[in-house]
Amino acid sequence: MASRDKRDHGLQPDTRRANRSRAEGGGRRQRMLDSSQPQSPSPGALYRKDVALSDLKPGECGSVMRLNGNFCGRLRLLEMGLTPGTHVRMVRAAAFGGPVDIEVRGYQLSLRREEAAAVWLGDEDQP
Amino acid sequence: MKQATVAGPTPDDAIETQEFTVALVGNPNCGKTTLFNALTGLRQKVGNYPGVTVEKKTGRATLPNGTPARFLDLPGLYSLTPHSPDELIAREVLLGLLPGEAVPQVIINVVDASNLERNLYLTSQLLDTGIPVVVALTMVDMVEREGRSVDAAEIEAAIGVPVRAVIASKRIGADELLEAVGNAGGQEVRKREWTFSPAVATEAFRLQQLIRTEAELKPRVAFTEALTLLMQDTDSAGPRYLPDSCRRAAKEARERLADQGIDSASEIIEARYAWIARVCEGVDRGPGEDQRRRRPFMTNDRVDRVVMHPFWGYVLFFVVMAVVFQSIFTWAKVPMDWIQNGIDALGTGLTKIMPAGDLRDLLKEGVLGGVGNTIVFLPQILLLFLFVSLLEDTGYMARAAFLMDRLMSRVGLHGKSFIPLLSSFACAIPGIMATRTIGDRKARLITILVAPLMSCSARLPVYTLMIGAFVPARTLLAIPLPGGHHLTLLSLPGATMLAMYLLGMVTAFGIAWLFHRTLFKGVPPVFLMELPPYRMPSLRAAIQQMIERAGLFLKRAGTIILAISVVLWALSTYPKRNDLPEDQRIQHSFVGMAGKSIEPVIRPLGFDWKMGIGIVSSFAAREVFVTAMGTVYNVGDAKETGQVNLMDHMRSDIDPRSGRHVFTPLVAVCLMIYYVLAMQCMSTLAVVRRETNGWKWPAFQFGYMFVLAWAGTFLVFQVGRAMGWG
């Protein structure tokens, strides 16, 4: 264990960068855009930034910047794949202020609006 | 079976731990249970982990190399971070921290190929444990139908452990998987592939060293615990067994990292996803340009647009619910009547072949009655579980929960609480058993606690008797028809019945809200629910689930119901006063004495000792009240022709002390209110005990419902009497 630990110290790529480079490589983002095509024909209007995930309208996309606050579901949201740099798409929202249905990492996740309000969307990773 | 609740290893466990154990681990909805069934067939055993409500499922199979192996089906989980008891148990099993359960020799990690990224998150945690891992890749056929391809060999090359594609429903690939499991024992311990930044790494390894020395854990285990502590944002949660010094050190480490602007939880999770991104690169091939149109997400989306529509979604939901409700309320009645008739016929047969005496009565009323009281629930349980498992497997359940969550979350319930509560109108037993689908523990417990307030079909005989005898058949709302006839829309008896159902419902929601705000105040709600793609349900899996649930009910609840039936029979028979006429004997039995001695308690509710006897003897089941009253008033068979007779007797009964009628419409209403609110059903208590794995919650439930019933009835009776309605 100890010897392997040392080895790990040797290679320490910045993980955030690794994430970004993957996004630039096309993979996930490409897929997200594709699946949102049927919702909205104009890709230019799809991305929104500096808003909370709960503010997105169905069909709109964004890129996770950070999870605000220290609420209890935060860790779970991260583990379910809502890490910084991840692309999300609002699929639909339930009536009467109910939960929202989002697409993240190729699957559909529903979360309550309060939790979605804590997910802040930022810049896309490329200009 | 009862030993399962005792903490610590039992001799049975001791034998099991020496076996070659294979743990099945995977995300919910990844096809893990189907695979488990395919691998072990019907050689399964379901129990509980000591002290918790987490279900422990084991099965047996022989590996191709001849080794007999025990398969442990761990609960479906998204990560090894302990958010829920399910995850806590799973991680303790895998880290070897659960007393009485040895570390499994091999992990079969079930990975859904159509959802690689998120599924591999758990894989990255499993690889950290150092236990040999074999990946079972499911849903490959689905991915291919989408025009994409996922190659098991390429994933194997990328993550470095054996990956075998399986189609569990057809058992394709199962032998290759088992062969890999058999060879995995010799798998060399792999080094960690994912990496994190120097700052976090330094803290993680420092913490690992501390945990190794303080808690005397193995390096791998200590590493996992260190990461968990670094990720946890609250100090209260977290792994058990760890000394406070480790927690304090972790808190300081988190603060040191935060000072540098590093969010340790986010950093660690991102690092794992970065590794996943490298694994997925090139492995998960998207569809070609021409195949884009076949993407199932679009098909899924098209279905969702109707199913989750703000209007049509609810219409569909109510239609589905109507079918479920109708089936357990009406269709189940037919087999239930067969069972009841069968039991009655057996009783008659017993009367013919056995000489009269205590033994015959014990067998007929105690044992046969108890058995009848148990198996009469089977049709409802089987039907409800057929529906629940079909709704779950198709993916509809998650959508229904999505639609209902707003309404239910206001009172601390979950979107998935709806079906259990609805089913409780037929019978709380299948309803409470169906709460298993609710992932959130708090919402599940609240649902269990309030479910018996829904007026079940066993209350109907009580309502019918009371309304029939004391509520005048006055028409409240009618449409005049030609020819001097009227079409009655609402009559007073109907309105009274409706009021009882509403009372139960409103109370259930009110109490749920109260518990949500008091009892479980600090417990955070969790509603992170995957909406799995629509899938064809497997009838075989549904039937297996039905049989499993029914078997568990018979084994766990049935034994308790039988025991209480026998005890209640004895209490209502002894001490035996053969010198008295038959109608007076029950008064002098223990039940009669209890009924009389509780009179001071129920007097303020307007009840006398006769009703006391009814209440005491109907603790077994509410409908027994009618038969008990029949016995007290000596009208013979109170079920059929005797009922009219019984109503007359009750109406004309005069209290010798006051000279007034014992039963008045107000007393009748009070009695009904008491039955709406009180927990007069031992079968429900037995099931709650089984579902919560202990007597604590059923005892609490019995207590709170009794207080509620007493207070509610007291209020209505006293106010009613003061207003001169009595």
Side-chain angles (χ1 to χ4, degrees):
Chain A
M1 195 70 203
S3 68
R4 196 176 52 252
D5 293 349
K6 286 211 187 70
R7 201 169 347 160
D8 285 335
H9 278 287
L11 22 120
Q12 300 123 358
D14 180 351
T15 52
R16 197 161 305 197
R17 190 158 301 143
N19 224 359
R20 194 168 298 154
S21 66
R22 164 149 164 72
E24 278 161 6
R28 192 186 310 140
R29 170 202 315 271
Q30 202 54 48
R31 272 189 276 146
M32 299 300 303
L33 276 170
D34 289 340
S35 48
S36 57
Q37 295 290 349
Q39 290 276 336
S40 168
S42 56
L46 284 176
Y47 267 84
R48 291 191 60 192
K49 61 173 189 171
D50 300 325
V51 291
L53 175 57
S54 53
D55 296 330
L56 293 190
K57 289 189 181 58
E60 291 181 337
C61 298
S63 169
V64 176
M65 185 157 89
R66 60 169 189 269
L67 304 187
N68 286 333
N70 211 2
F71 64 104
C72 59
R74 185 173 184 276
L75 188 55
R76 170 105 299 171
L77 276 179
L78 285 168
E79 291 200 291
M80 294 296 275
L82 283 161
T83 52
T86 308
H87 295 273
V88 290
R89 182 173 73 96
M90 174 68 80
V91 181
R92 64 175 56 76
F96 321 117
V100 296
D101 169 10
I102 62 163
E103 191 194 343
V104 55
R105 295 185 187 270
Y107 75 99
Q108 271 174 284
L109 179 71
S110 84
L111 52 159
R112 290 204 176 123
R113 223 168 272 253
E114 304 89 289
E115 288 149 355
V119 180
W120 196 253
L121 304 177
D123 271 320
E124 289 179 54
D125 289 318
Q126 58 184 30
Chain B
M1 272 315 130
K2 278 166 209 108
Q3 276 82 5
T5 56
V6 180
T10 59
D12 191 28
D13 283 329
I15 299 162
E16 285 176 347
T17 50
Q18 287 162 11
E19 279 178 273
F20 189 82
T21 300
V22 181
L24 262 88
V25 192
N27 286 185
N29 310 308
C30 69
K32 182 169 64 68
T33 306
T34 320
L35 180 63
F36 179 72
N37 290 343
L39 293 179
T40 62
L42 292 170
R43 298 159 71 197
Q44 298 181 3
K45 213 175 90 186
V46 188
N48 266 42
Y49 287 98
V52 285
T53 56
V54 180
E55 211 156 73
K56 176 181 180 178
K57 227 168 150 180
T58 53
R60 264 158 228 290
T62 308
L63 301 181
N65 62 12
T67 319
R70 184 172 78 110
F71 286 79
L72 186 62
D73 187 18
L74 288 176
L77 23 117
Y78 292 113
S79 88
L80 283 186
T81 313
H83 296 285
S84 72
D86 279 357
E87 284 149 326
L88 193 68
I89 288 291
R91 80 193 300 275
E92 282 179 1
V93 168
L94 295 175
L95 299 178
L97 298 172
L98 192 73
E101 185 68 57
V103 185
Q105 272 83 353
V106 178
I107 293 173
I108 295 182
N109 177 204
V110 187
V111 168
D112 176 353
S114 67
N115 193 347
L116 260 187
E117 283 185 49
R118 203 208 51 224
N119 275 256
L120 285 175
Y121 181 81
L122 179 63
T123 309
S124 97
Q125 289 183 319
L126 293 176
L127 291 174
D128 283 351
T129 64
I131 303 171
V133 174
V134 174
V135 170
L137 199 63
T138 57
M139 315 285 172
V140 179
D141 42 343
M142 270 191 55
V143 173
E144 279 166 5
R145 228 171 293 147
E146 295 169 25
R148 291 191 292 145
S149 70
V150 171
D151 186 18
E154 283 177 34
I155 302 180
E156 177 165 331
I159 65 176
V161 295
V163 179
R164 299 288 178 271
V166 290
I167 301 174
S169 54
K170 296 176 189 145
R171 225 183 168 275
I172 295 171
D175 291 328
E176 290 84 345
L177 176 71
L178 288 180
E179 203 176 319
V181 168
N183 298 333
Q187 209 180 79
E188 69 180 273
V189 180
R190 298 178 54 262
K191 71 176 186 70
R192 188 164 44 81
E193 298 273 355
W194 61 279
T195 49
F196 40 17
S197 68
V200 180
T202 315
E203 294 292 357
F205 298 133
R206 191 186 290 160
L207 201 55
Q208 178 193 16
Q209 287 304 325
L210 182 75
I211 294 171
R212 276 184 70 177
T213 47
E214 295 273 308
E216 292 172 12
L217 294 177
K218 289 185 190 131
R220 288 280 185 160
V221 179
F223 181 68
T224 303
E225 296 285 31
L227 290 189
T228 310
L229 282 181
L230 277 182
M231 278 162 52
Q232 219 93 59
D233 21 23
T234 52
D235 299 306
S236 55
R240 302 189 269 181
Y241 308 114
L242 284 186
D244 281 339
S245 56
C246 298
R247 284 168 209 280
R248 267 198 307 278
K251 194 168 176 238
E252 286 160 16
R254 279 201 307 270
E255 281 163 4
R256 272 196 299 275
L257 289 169
D259 288 343
Q260 300 170 50
I262 297 172
D263 176 348
S264 46
S266 188
E267 180 97 16
I268 293 168
I269 294 165
E270 283 174 65
R272 289 192 194 275
Y273 273 110
W275 171 76
I276 292 166
R278 288 200 298 277
V279 170
C280 288
E281 203 88 55
V283 166
D284 187 355
R285 271 192 220 94
E289 211 43 65
D290 53 318
Q291 288 167 320
R292 284 263 160 86
R293 299 236 163 267
R294 285 168 53 197
R295 303 197 51 194
F297 197 87
M298 282 167 61
T299 331
N300 234 344
D301 198 56
R302 233 172 272 147
V303 180
D304 272 344
R305 273 185 217 179
V306 178
V307 170
M308 296 164 82
H309 189 272
F311 177 74
W312 295 113
Y314 287 97
V315 171
L316 180 71
F317 176 75
F318 284 110
V319 169
V320 172
M321 288 307 114
V323 172
V324 172
F325 187 66
Q326 186 70 15
S327 72
I328 52 175
F329 209 79
T330 319
W331 304 347
K333 272 280 174 285
V334 180
M336 284 168 86
D337 287 344
W338 294 343
I339 292 173
Q340 200 58 58
N341 293 340
I343 294 285
D344 290 349
L346 275 176
T348 320
L350 215 57
T351 320
K352 282 192 191 125
I353 56 165
M354 280 183 76
D358 284 5
L359 182 63
R360 189 180 80 183
D361 288 351
L362 168 69
L363 286 181
K364 192 183 159 194
E365 277 151 48
V367 178
L368 214 51
V371 171
N373 257 336
T374 311
I375 59 173
V376 82
F377 294 118
L378 281 184
Q380 289 180 334
I381 292 175
L382 290 172
L383 267 174
L384 184 64
F385 273 94
L386 177 69
F387 282 114
V388 165
S389 81
L390 290 181
L391 293 179
E392 278 274 346
D393 292 352
T394 47
Y396 183 73
M397 187 71 104
R399 270 81 182 177
F402 180 84
L403 291 176
M404 294 309 292
D405 187 67
R406 181 64 182 163
L407 191 67
M408 306 303 269
S409 66
R410 290 247 172 114
V411 293
L413 295 169
H414 188 278
K416 284 188 180 176
S417 303
F418 194 85
I419 288 179
L421 291 182
L422 181 82
S423 316
S424 298
F425 277 115
C427 178
I429 289 164
I432 286 169
M433 289 172 73
T435 58
R436 234 160 230 290
T437 55
I438 306 171
D440 179 24
R441 295 276 145 173
K442 167 188 167 179
R444 175 167 180 231
L445 204 50
I446 298 182
T447 311
I448 290 177
L449 288 176
V450 302
L453 288 169
M454 299 299 187
S455 277
C456 65
S457 49
R459 282 156 169 121
L460 268 174
V462 181
Y463 298 165
T464 322
L465 177 69
M466 288 298 140
I467 290 175
F470 300 103
V471 178
R474 200 179 301 149
T475 302
L476 295 182
L477 198 66
I479 303 176
L481 291 177
H485 293 289
H486 287 274
L487 178 66
T488 308
L489 290 183
L490 192 63
S491 62
L492 192 55
T496 315
M497 185 79 93
L498 189 66
M500 292 304 139
Y501 276 87
L502 285 177
L503 174 69
M505 249 159 71
V506 170
T507 314
F509 281 91
I511 293 290
W513 179 85
L514 189 74
F515 287 165
H516 165 55
R517 284 304 164 98
T518 55
L519 216 55
F520 304 101
K521 201 174 170 213
V523 188
V526 184
F527 186 81
L528 271 182
M529 193 179 55
E530 189 188 352
L531 296 168
Y534 290 106
R535 276 173 199 154
M536 203 59 192
S538 138
L539 193 64
R540 212 170 69 188
I543 289 172
Q544 188 156 2
Q545 155 111 329
M546 266 164 76
I547 293 171
E548 189 184 294
R549 289 298 131 198
L552 281 173
F553 169 75
L554 288 182
K555 240 169 23 192
R556 305 292 164 70
T559 43
I560 300 174
I561 297 171
L562 183 63
I564 301 181
S565 289
V566 170
V567 169
L568 267 179
W569 168 82
L571 291 179
S572 61
T573 309
Y574 297 103
K576 219 162 179 182
R577 295 289 298 272
N578 286 330
D579 51 316
L580 292 171
E582 208 159 324
D583 60 317
Q584 285 177 27
R585 279 183 205 167
I586 192 168
Q587 293 179 32
H588 294 90
S589 69
F590 290 114
V591 165
M593 290 181 219
K596 282 184 179 167
S597 61
I598 63 164
E599 202 180 1
V601 181
I602 57 173
R603 192 81 246 177
L605 314 181
F607 305 162
D608 75 343
W609 61 269
K610 295 193 193 83
M611 291 173 239
I613 292 179
I615 288 171
V616 172
S617 46
S618 67
F619 169 66
R622 296 177 177 95
E623 69 272 20
V624 173
F625 178 79
V626 178
T627 3
M629 293 318 271
T631 316
V632 172
Y633 284 102
N634 195 27
V635 287
D637 188 5
K639 262 188 205 156
E640 287 150 34
T641 50
Q643 181 128 2
V644 183
N645 220 337
L646 175 60
M647 288 182 187
D648 286 340
H649 274 84
M650 281 166 34
R651 271 195 291 253
S652 56
D653 190 13
I654 306 278
D655 187 350
R657 279 169 291 186
S658 61
R660 282 190 295 198
H661 281 285
V662 171
F663 280 97
T664 62
L666 179 64
V667 171
V669 167
C670 285
L671 206 56
M672 283 191 279
I673 291 175
Y674 179 84
Y675 272 90
V676 169
L677 302 175
M679 172 57 114
Q680 293 273 122
C681 181
M682 59 167 181
S683 313
T684 304
L685 287 174
V687 163
V688 174
R689 195 216 79 91
R690 141 94 192 132
E691 292 297 318
T692 61
N693 203 13
W695 283 109
K696 180 178 134 196
W697 289 112
F700 171 76
Q701 189 175 33
F702 181 78
Y704 101 77
M705 286 179 71
F706 177 74
V707 170
L708 198 66
W710 194 91
T713 316
F714 177 80
L715 198 73
V716 171
F717 181 70
Q718 296 300 336
V719 169
R721 209 173 47 170
M723 305 283 274
W725 296 334

